[in-house]
Amino acid sequence: MNRIDQRFSELKQQGRKALIPYITAGDPAPQYTVGFMHALVEAGADVIELGVPFPTPWLMAR
């Protein structure tokens, strides 16, 4: 069982829902990402969804 499945199992046993915040890596600057992630965990996040930005080809063609 992976860590995410394990966490969901623990939450289910406790009758709780998961708090899963989303942040974009590197926004507003790369040096802040890890600190933001630690702050989210301290604030009670169960899982963090980390988005990785990439250029959209059709936007780049403009």
Side-chain angles (χ1 to χ4, degrees), residues 4 7-8 11-12 14 16-22 37 39-49:
I4 295 173
R7 186 64 183 144
F8 281 128
L11 290 168
K12 185 175 183 179
Q14 297 170 10
R16 293 182 49 222
K17 304 291 183 187
L19 174 62
I20 308 173
Y22 172 89
M37 294 173 69
L40 289 169
V41 171
E42 290 173 15
D46 295 297
V47 177
I48 298 171
E49 184 176 356

Side-chain angles (χ1 to χ4, degrees), residues 1-58:
M1 178 181 295
N2 65 46
R3 291 187 294 172
I4 295 173
D5 290 336
Q6 182 178 353
R7 186 64 183 144
F8 281 128
S9 178
E10 293 167 358
L11 290 168
K12 185 175 183 179
Q13 290 174 358
Q14 297 170 10
R16 293 182 49 222
K17 304 291 183 187
L19 174 62
I20 308 173
Y22 172 89
I23 62 171
T24 303
D27 184 26
Q31 66 267 28
Y32 299 121
T33 301
V34 173
F36 288 159
M37 294 173 69
H38 285 289
L40 289 169
V41 171
E42 290 173 15
D46 295 297
V47 177
I48 298 171
E49 184 176 356
L50 182 63
V52 179
F54 62 93
T56 305
W58 63 270

